Amino acid sequence: MDVGYKKADAELAHQMLQTESKPGNLDITATLQKSSSWIAGGFSSSVTDTLQLNLVNDAEVLPAHLTLFHHPDNKAIFNVIHGSGYFDVSLVNDIATQEYIPSNQTIKVHPTFDGETNLVVKDLCLHTKKTALAQVSVVGIHTVELIVVDKVQRGNSILSKVRLRDQNGLLLPPISKFVDVDVVITDKTTPKPKILSIGRKTNQQSSSDEILFLIKGEEVGTTSISATATYANRKSSSTAKSIGLPEVACPGCTWCSRGWLRIGNPRVLPALL
């Protein structure tokens, strides 16, 4: 029975939209023109509808790699760009915890253990060519190095350097917000006069991976010192270094670097071999 309309051919009832890998907004409008072949008596007017599309690139996580110092008060912020905005976020290894904030597409990561993991972001609405991920390295202090000469003259000061290394042997920058670094006297076996005084050097130019301390000779004798780094109920110490304050036998004699003894104050010093 003729009810006044025709069934459209399935091949003509849809069109394929081929994008050109360019993001942006796109409006697609479909219109049914006025015609008597569809409904008896025809349309009084055309029928139109518009679909608004937002063409986006595959989701990405920035930064793609981040090193995070292991401290309970520390955190890292990752940004998810592109994509649909609806994501499933996870960590491959549970060395940290993560929290996704949809309102601004950011991810907060808090460290819990030292190690390596991947932050994985899967788009829930779009089929993507690759999964968005970022590499996360959680590092702690595994080695403390103390660099200092083994002699200091009474009344003079020498400079000592402290370096911090992670579990991969890489130098860590001083993290004063989370780490307390100090140089202390370790030789406390017998009561001794105060041989050394130690203080932080605050106005000395240094590389970003060193902490400087001034060590002043107070009394003649021998003692040992070490550097310590304390953070989050964890403590690492360097190997103890022995420092001697020799008794200078002649006036005007001064101990120089490398244990050389300088006599007087000549204008030109011999080169050190």
Side-chain angles (χ1 to χ4, degrees):
M1 178 177 16
D2 185 6
V3 294
Y5 66 90
K6 291 182 180 180
K7 184 177 180 181
D9 190 329
E11 294 183 357
L12 302 177
H14 69 277
Q15 288 182 315
M16 295 296 295
L17 177 66
Q18 183 66 43
T19 62
E20 296 183 356
S21 301
K22 296 180 180 180
N25 296 319
L26 180 66
D27 291 344
I28 300 177
T29 301
T31 302
L32 294 178
Q33 301 292 343
K34 180 179 178 181
S35 173
S36 60
S37 62
W38 285 86
I39 298 176
F43 290 112
S44 61
S45 61
S46 300
V47 178
T48 300
D49 195 12
T50 299
L51 175 65
Q52 294 180 334
L53 295 180
N54 181 19
L55 302 181
V56 296
N57 291 324
D58 288 348
E60 295 181 49
V61 184
L62 298 177
H65 182 274
L66 187 140
T67 299
L68 182 62
F69 183 70
H70 184 187
H71 191 281
D73 295 332
N74 199 13
K75 66 179 178 182
I77 302 295
F78 291 85
N79 294 292
V80 184
I81 60 174
H82 311 312
S84 68
Y86 298 91
F87 305 106
D88 175 64
V89 181
S90 62
L91 289 165
V92 175
N93 300 319
D94 294 331
I95 64 168
T97 60
Q98 58 81 21
E99 176 188 3
Y100 175 59
I101 304 173
S103 60
N104 56 7
Q105 293 192 190
T106 60
I107 305 170
K108 293 182 180 179
V109 176
H110 295 268
T112 54
F113 300 99
D114 295 355
E116 308 281 334
T117 189
N118 283 335
L119 180 65
V120 181
V121 176
K122 296 181 180 179
D123 201 311
L124 298 176
C125 298
L126 300 176
H127 175 73
T128 58
K129 296 179 180 179
K130 62 180 181 179
T131 301
L133 56 84
Q135 295 179 333
V136 183
S137 300
V138 179
V139 299
I141 298 174
H142 282 243
T143 305
V144 179
E145 297 177 355
L146 175 62
I147 303 171
V148 64
V149 297
D150 60 357
K151 289 183 179 67
V152 59
Q153 186 177 348
R154 181 181 178 183
N156 287 358
S157 297
I158 58 175
L159 196 65
S160 65
K161 302 177 182 180
V162 179
R163 294 174 180 171
L164 309 177
R165 294 186 182 272
D166 64 17
Q167 65 267 28
N168 301 312
L170 301 177
L171 285 172
L172 292 171
I175 316 168
S176 57
K177 182 178 180 181
F178 301 121
V179 183
D180 183 20
V181 179
D182 202 2
V183 174
V184 297
I185 297 175
T186 57
D187 185 6
K188 300 178 180 178
T189 55
T190 58
K192 292 183 177 181
K194 186 178 181 181
I195 298 176
L196 299 174
S197 60
I198 304 171
R200 188 78 173 259
K201 183 70 171 177
T202 57
N203 60 348
Q204 174 73 29
Q205 294 293 327
S206 176
S207 62
S208 60
D209 52 15
E210 293 177 342
I211 308 103
L212 305 182
F213 289 85
L214 275 178
I215 300 176
K216 183 178 181 181
E218 301 288 354
E219 297 291 340
V220 174
T222 302
T223 188
S224 60
I225 62 173
S226 69
T228 62
T230 306
Y231 67 102
N233 297 321
R234 301 171 67 176
K235 184 176 181 179
S236 298
S237 299
S238 70
T239 302
K241 297 290 185 71
S242 177
I243 294 185
L245 277 76
E247 186 171 0
V248 179
C250 60
C253 298
T254 305
W255 284 103
C256 304
S257 61
R258 305 187 191 177
W260 286 64
L261 185 64
R262 186 177 68 189
I263 301 175
N265 187 23
R267 291 178 178 271
V268 180
L269 294 177
L272 299 181
L273 301 178

